[in-house]
């Protein structure tokens, strides 16, 4: 479990990956659509997606020739349980997480 938590928190530490998660809160997206608002190569976005996938925060699947990404909402459960152990944090609620991301990443909403 410690390794999984390390992967989740490492994935969440990057603002690009948090922005990608915020985008995927809305709906599944093709990799090319995920990459569109960012000023980086498709290869760079793909590396971010690999990290999010390894952390279990997203899943990727091929539909025809297109690779799609979808949010795995239960992936934050272990991190939420771990944070609750400190008594300072409420359980992670995806609606609250979305509101948090909107406040923390207002520029990502404009790029979408």
């Amino acid at each position: 479990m410690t390794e999984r938590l390390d992967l989740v928190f490492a994935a969440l530490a990057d603002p690009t990956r948090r922005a990608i998660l915020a985008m995927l809160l809305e709906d599944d997206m093709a990799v090319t659509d995920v990459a569109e608002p960012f000023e980086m190569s498709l290869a760079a976005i793909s590396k971010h997606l690999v990290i999010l996938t390894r952390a279990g925060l997203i899943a990727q699947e091929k539909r025809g020739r297109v690779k799609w990404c979808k949010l795995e909402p239960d992936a934050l459960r272990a991190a939420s349980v771990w944070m609750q152990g400190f008594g300072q944090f409420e359980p992670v609620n995806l609606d609250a997480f979305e509101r948090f991301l909107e406040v923390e990443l207002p520029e990502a909403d404009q790029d979408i």
Side-chain angles (χ1 to χ4, degrees):
M1 177 155 156
T2 301
E3 184 178 337
R4 175 63 65 183
L5 282 175
D6 290 347
L7 291 172
V8 168
F9 287 121
L12 293 173
D14 183 85
T16 299
R17 292 190 288 270
R18 291 192 307 268
I20 291 169
L21 291 174
M23 292 166 53
L24 293 173
L25 279 170
E26 297 297 320
D27 200 3
D28 298 356
M29 297 179 75
V31 170
T32 53
D33 294 333
V34 170
E36 187 177 314
F38 299 100
E39 293 184 16
M40 62 181 71
S41 69
L42 188 57
I45 289 295
S46 292
K47 288 180 182 180
H48 284 293
L49 295 175
V50 166
I51 292 168
L52 290 169
T53 302
R54 283 187 189 150
L57 296 170
I58 68 168
Q60 295 185 61
E61 66 178 337
K62 274 201 132 177
R63 298 180 194 163
R65 293 183 176 201
V66 179
K67 190 178 249 188
W68 286 78
C69 301
K70 70 176 187 169
L71 187 67
E72 290 292 339
D74 291 335
L76 291 173
R77 186 178 321 266
S80 175
V81 169
W82 182 82
M83 289 187 292
Q84 288 175 39
F86 292 94
Q88 300 176 30
F89 300 97
E90 295 295 321
V92 172
N93 174 305
L94 288 180
D95 291 332
F97 183 58
E98 181 177 13
R99 288 189 297 275
F100 168 78
L101 290 174
E102 288 172 355
V103 170
E104 291 296 314
L105 304 170
E107 68 280 352
D109 291 337
Q110 295 171 1
D111 293 340
I112 298 173

